[in-house]
Amino acid sequence: MASFPYKTVLMIGATSGIGLALAEKMIENGCFVIASGRRQENLDALVTKYGAEKVAGVKFDITDLNGIPGFVESVTKAHPTLDCVILNSGIQRPLDFTQPASINLPMISEEFNTNYLAHVHLTTAFLPFLREASRPVSLIYTTSALALVPILRCGNYCASKAAMHHLILVLREQLRGSNVKVIEIMPPAVQTELHDEDKQPDIKNGRAMGMPLDEFTEEAWEGLCAGQDDIPVGMAKRMYDAFETKRQEVMGNLVKMVH
């Protein structure tokens, strides 16, 4: 198997789940990882486990949109060899329009902010630094199989991931021919705290839902090392093969027509 080509990686959303698992995989394969997230104790535990020569912890809440330019400036100044930014943070909440009184509109805004708007702000802030690099660099996004096909219980989450998926397709096309590679990882349901009952009371034993985290991590890592632009994993691969290839072909034809 080919090796992962990037050596200094910022993992946004590294305190648990997919972000933590991929961060550890990268550390164990020789990358220096800047781990970012909201929980200082989790970041400290990661640094303690691997050592400050292999990982740095930077506490930041990406929903602080006004703080993103300062965060990006601080990270890029401290780590000028940064060549890979992974935008992995995400939350999922239930949404049931059959019970309008149950809908928490501020939470809906927070979910869309976390899953979409913050990623737009982060991308905008990091691109000048990345574009100035004299080496190949990458932006990697974790979306979801639900970006392709929605389910009923978390419609806002599905919509936020679909919005991010479409933006990624546009970003990739706009940056084609530049030094910035745009990569999308599409997980199925994975056994992480995303589905914990304290966050989604309608789910019982949510940590057991979906693909085991270690299996997901291995498959995603294979795709990253193989240099794939799109990395659908598990059930997402079946959805991708069913129609996403065709949709991107149609998009490519539209791009040729319009430009």
Side-chain angles (χ1 to χ4, degrees), residues 182-259:
V182 178
I183 300 167
E184 180 176 4
I185 303 172
M186 301 176 208
V190 179
Q191 294 174 7
T192 70
E193 68 177 44
L194 185 75
H195 307 117
D196 280 358
E197 192 172 340
D198 64 329
K199 303 175 183 70
Q200 304 198 73
D202 60 318
I203 299 178
K204 306 303 178 186
N205 195 25
R207 195 68 70 100
M209 177 186 294
M211 188 178 194
L213 180 58
D214 58 347
E215 291 182 18
F216 164 80
T217 303
E218 287 303 318
E219 191 170 332
W221 182 245
E222 286 179 12
L224 288 168
C225 291
Q228 295 174 215
D229 289 346
D230 289 333
I231 307 173
V233 178
M235 178 184 67
K237 191 178 296 182
R238 294 198 296 274
M239 297 177 181
Y240 186 93
D241 291 343
F243 62 84
E244 181 60 25
T245 303
K246 181 63 177 177
R247 174 160 61 183
Q248 292 194 27
E249 180 184 327
V250 172
M251 179 190 170
N253 291 335
L254 282 173
V255 168
K256 292 175 183 175
M257 287 172 58
V258 175
H259 300 283

Side-chain angles (χ1 to χ4, degrees), residues 7-240:
K7 299 305 179 187
T8 306
V9 179
L10 171 63
M11 176 66 72
I12 296 176
T15 56
S16 67
I18 288 172
L20 176 59
L22 283 174
E24 292 192 310
K25 190 73 173 175
M26 290 174 178
I27 294 166
E28 291 163 3
N29 282 272
C31 299
F32 182 86
V33 172
I34 306 114
S36 180
R38 294 181 295 179
R39 287 173 284 187
Q40 186 68 56
E41 65 276 13
N42 294 27
L43 298 173
D44 291 344
L46 189 63
V47 175
T48 298
K49 181 176 180 179
Y50 290 101
E53 71 280 2
K54 295 183 178 180
V55 59
V58 181
K59 182 180 178 182
F60 185 68
D61 182 349
I62 64 168
T63 62
D64 175 16
L65 300 182
N66 291 331
I68 284 175
F71 165 72
V72 171
E73 182 179 9
S74 175
V75 168
T76 54
K77 281 188 175 180
H79 304 281
T81 59
L82 178 69
D83 56 2
C84 177
V85 176
I86 304 179
L87 295 93
N88 172 76
S89 296
I91 61 173
Q92 185 183 103
R93 300 294 184 263
L95 179 67
D96 186 357
F97 285 112
T98 70
Q99 301 181 53
S102 73
I103 296 175
N104 181 335
L105 290 175
M107 178 57 70
I108 296 304
S109 296
E110 181 184 357
E111 186 177 32
F112 202 78
N113 190 16
T114 304
N115 296 353
Y116 180 75
L117 289 178
H119 290 62
V120 177
H121 283 245
L122 285 161
T123 300
T124 303
F126 272 112
L127 270 175
F129 171 84
L130 295 173
R131 291 295 305 273
E132 289 175 4
S134 58
R135 59 195 180 279
V137 298
S138 68
L139 284 163
I140 302 176
Y141 301 85
T142 303
T143 59
S144 171
L146 300 182
L148 304 180
V149 178
I151 59 174
L152 298 187
R153 55 162 304 278
C154 54
N156 190 58
Y157 176 85
C158 300
S160 68
K161 293 296 187 176
M164 199 65 238
H165 173 61
H166 281 78
L167 191 71
I168 289 165
L169 294 180
V170 171
L171 178 67
R172 182 182 292 156
E173 193 62 39
Q174 289 180 343
L175 294 180
R176 192 174 299 282
S178 77
N179 66 320
V180 184
K181 186 176 178 69
V182 178
I183 300 167
E184 180 176 4
I185 303 172
M186 301 176 208
V190 179
Q191 294 174 7
T192 70
E193 68 177 44
L194 185 75
H195 307 117
D196 280 358
E197 192 172 340
D198 64 329
K199 303 175 183 70
Q200 304 198 73
D202 60 318
I203 299 178
K204 306 303 178 186
N205 195 25
R207 195 68 70 100
M209 177 186 294
M211 188 178 194
L213 180 58
D214 58 347
E215 291 182 18
F216 164 80
T217 303
E218 287 303 318
E219 191 170 332
W221 182 245
E222 286 179 12
L224 288 168
C225 291
Q228 295 174 215
D229 289 346
D230 289 333
I231 307 173
V233 178
M235 178 184 67
K237 191 178 296 182
R238 294 198 296 274
M239 297 177 181
Y240 186 93

